[in-house]
Amino acid sequence: MSELNNESLKDENIWIRGLYMLLFVLFYSVAEFVLGVVVIVQFGYRVLNDENHPRLLALGAAISLYIYQVMRFLSFNTEVMPFPFSDW
């Protein structure tokens, strides 16, 4: 294991990214809750109408993609910050 690099502790950019990461953890929690509501409502709609609601399908797909983008940012797989710092 490498020795702790004092310069990396002083790097302002990593601390700013850490603050953005905390913000995106909050956004993830909200998106997860909303997706859960969409799942429940879509299930109820499907049971009652024997078909999917097209707007709920689109919303579910958009939220799923957003969660994917947030996870890629949080796991350092990309430096591109998701919405609201980039296009939806």
Side-chain angles (χ1 to χ4, degrees), residues 8-26:
S8 66
L9 289 175
K10 296 176 185 175
D11 184 11
E12 185 178 303
N13 292 329
I14 194 69
W15 294 108
I16 291 171
R17 192 184 202 288
L19 291 174
Y20 281 122
M21 290 174 73
L22 288 174
L23 181 66
F24 280 110
V25 166
L26 176 66

Side-chain angles (χ1 to χ4, degrees), residues 33-48 56:
F33 175 77
V34 172
L35 184 61
V37 171
V38 169
V39 167
I40 293 167
V41 172
Q42 182 72 283
F43 179 78
Y45 188 87
R46 177 67 190 245
V47 167
L48 296 175
L56 288 176

Side-chain angles (χ1 to χ4, degrees), residues 25-67:
V25 166
L26 176 66
F27 289 168
Y28 167 79
S29 298
V30 172
E32 185 181 37
F33 175 77
V34 172
L35 184 61
V37 171
V38 169
V39 167
I40 293 167
V41 172
Q42 182 72 283
F43 179 78
Y45 188 87
R46 177 67 190 245
V47 167
L48 296 175
N49 296 308
D50 199 30
E51 64 184 12
N52 293 325
H53 192 285
R55 286 189 177 169
L56 288 176
L57 285 175
L59 181 59
I63 294 171
S64 298
L65 180 59
Y66 180 70
I67 289 173

